[in-house]
Amino acid sequence: MNRDQFFGDARSDLAGPLHGVRVIEATTAWAGPMVGCLLGDLGGDVVRIDLPGTDGGTTWPPYIPGTESLLAHETVNRNKRSAYVDLRRPEGREVFLNLVRSADIVVENFKPGTLASWGVGYDDCRAVKPDIVYVSVSGWGQYGPWSDRAGYDPAALAAGGWMSLNGEPDGQPLKGPTYVADDLAGLHAALAALAALRHRDQTGEGQHVDVALLDSLLFQSNGFLTAGATGLPLTRWGSQVGVSVPTNTYACKDGFVFVAMVLDSHWRKMADLMGRPELADAPGFATNVERVNNREAVNAAVAGFCRSGTIAEILEQLIGAGLAAAKVNSYEEAASEPHVQARDMLQEMVLADGSTAPITGPAAKFSRTPTRVRRAAPKAGADTDEVLAEVGLDEAERARLRELGAV
C-alpha cells in the first residue's frame, strides 16, 4: 500500500478523530503535558493553563539549534493553546472553573491534594460540570502509602524494578535515556480519558481517573511484577534477551547492527548466509531452546559473520533473506532515514519565535481523520484573551482580572 491509497478517503475539515473535544490542562514537567500532547495530536482543543509571569511548565534545555525555542516545550506542548490563570488566587479559581464548564476533560499532574487545596480539585470541578472527566497523573497515585511523596520518572524506574534490569549484566542499574515512565503514564492517562469519555457518552456520568507513573511502568513490564511476586528469578541481559538466541547487537566494520531471531526457520537462513549450513541442524544450534543453552557459541558465530562486512553489506544479506535486523542508528541518523520521513515523523513547523524546525509528528495514522502537528507550542499565556473570551469574559472583566494578578 502506498500513502495515497491509505489516505484516499481522508477528510480535510476536521483536526482529527477528537475534533470538538475540549481539554483543560493544568500540568508541569512531562507526564501531564504528554496527556495533553496526545489528546491534542488526536484533534482535541487543548488549553494549557500556565502560571502568570512564567514561561510555562516545561522549561529545561536544550534549545533547538537556530531558534529561541526549547526542545522539550516544542515537543510536548504542540497542538495546544496557553492561557495565564493563577489557580492559587480566588479569582483565578473562578476563571478555571468557568473554563471547566466548557470542557470535556481536565488533566492535572500536581502532587495529590494540591489542586483540591486550591479549590479546583475533582469535587470542585464536578460541582460545576457533573460529567467532567478529571484525569490526575502522579508518581505514586491518589491513594496508597506512597501517595504523598514527590515523584519523578527515575524514581518510578527505581522503585518499580525496571532500573534493576537495565544495563549490562556486570554493570550497575541504569535509568532510561528517555522519560519512559512519564511517557507510559501519559499514554495510559490519554487512553483512560477516552474510555471515560465513552462511558460519559453512554451514561452521562463523569469520573475521576487516577494514573500513577509506577502503575503504568509495572503494567508495561511484561509480567515481571508477577515474576517478582512468585519468586521467579529475573536476569539483566544488556542487549540480549533470555528467550531467544541470537538476539543481540553485533559489530560490523563501520558500526553496529541489531539482529533478532526467534524462528528456527530463520536460523537455517542465517546458517546459510554465514556459509555454515551445517549449523542449521547441528546439536546446540538446531532449535531455539538449544541455542539459548549454547548462547556463547551461537553469538560468536553470528559476530564473526557481522565483522566480515560493512553495515550496508550485512543488512543487505540479512534483510534480503527476510530476517529481522537494523542498523543501530543515532537519533541524528534516524532523522535522516527516508522511511522516518515518509511516515511524517518529522513535520516542519513555524515556531512562536518565527523560526522553523522539524517537530516530531504523531505516531498513529488515521485514514479518515488524519492527524498532524497543526500548530507549534505556544508562548505561555499567548492565548489568554482568546480562551477567556470563548467562555464569556469580556475585555473589561479580563482587564479587572489582570489587575488582580489572576490572569
Side-chain angles (χ1 to χ4, degrees), residues 68-356:
E68 299 174 2
S69 299
L70 292 160
L71 175 64
H73 174 64
E74 293 296 338
T75 299
V76 82
N77 289 323
R78 80 288 189 84
N79 287 338
K80 301 177 186 179
R81 295 185 289 169
S82 171
Y84 272 148
V85 182
D86 192 339
L87 303 181
R88 302 165 301 181
R89 293 177 176 269
E91 300 84 2
R93 169 186 178 275
E94 293 307 315
V95 170
F96 185 83
L97 293 177
N98 201 9
L99 290 170
V100 170
R101 290 184 179 94
S102 73
D104 300 286
I105 301 169
V106 171
V107 178
E108 65 92 8
N109 73 327
F110 287 82
K111 189 176 178 180
T114 300
L115 263 62
S117 72
W118 295 342
V120 291
Y122 173 57
D123 288 338
D124 305 293
C125 290
R126 71 170 173 173
V128 301
K129 186 78 186 313
D131 66 350
I132 196 69
V133 172
Y134 191 100
V135 180
S136 294
V137 181
S138 61
W140 317 106
Q142 299 299 299
Y143 59 87
W146 294 355
S147 61
D148 61 349
R149 295 184 182 181
Y152 288 106
D153 175 277
L157 298 182
W162 189 96
M163 194 180 294
S164 72
L165 294 181
N166 191 44
E168 291 301 320
D170 56 352
Q172 69 179 25
L174 298 175
K175 74 173 187 64
T178 63
Y179 312 127
V180 62
D182 279 346
D183 282 332
L184 288 174
L187 282 165
H188 277 277
L191 177 61
L194 298 183
L197 275 187
R198 171 68 171 166
H199 177 77
R200 183 207 67 178
D201 292 344
Q202 290 182 310
T203 67
E205 298 172 345
Q207 61 185 299
H208 192 181
V209 177
D210 173 14
V211 176
L213 271 64
L214 178 64
D215 298 354
S216 302
L217 188 71
L218 290 172
F219 180 85
Q220 302 292 172
S221 292
N222 308 135
F224 287 173
L225 185 61
T226 298
T230 58
L232 187 67
L234 296 170
T235 302
R236 191 187 306 160
W237 287 107
S239 290
Q240 299 189 69
V241 299
V243 297
S244 66
V245 177
T247 297
N248 204 353
T249 302
Y250 300 98
C252 299
K253 289 182 176 179
D254 56 349
F256 295 88
V257 295
F258 193 88
V259 180
M261 205 165 298
V262 177
L263 301 178
D264 294 334
S265 60
H266 286 179
W267 171 251
R268 289 192 287 274
K269 292 181 180 181
M270 188 72 205
D272 287 339
L273 289 179
M274 295 189 299
R276 302 183 65 181
E278 74 280 1
L279 293 183
D281 300 307
F285 294 86
T287 68
N288 185 58
V289 172
E290 290 178 277
R291 293 192 297 277
V292 166
N293 292 322
N294 192 29
R295 183 182 299 270
E296 187 173 340
V298 175
N299 274 323
V302 177
F305 167 73
C306 290
R307 282 195 302 269
S308 69
T310 64
I311 293 172
E313 292 167 346
I314 296 302
L315 286 182
E316 182 179 10
Q317 296 181 69
L318 293 171
I319 294 172
L323 304 180
K327 176 187 175 185
V328 179
N329 276 330
S330 66
Y331 275 103
E332 182 178 1
E333 291 168 327
S336 67
E337 288 283 3
H339 183 77
V340 171
Q341 296 169 0
R343 297 287 294 172
D344 294 324
M345 289 311 298
L346 287 171
Q347 300 182 17
E348 198 74 18
M349 295 297 299
V350 178
L351 309 184
D353 66 359
S355 62
T356 60

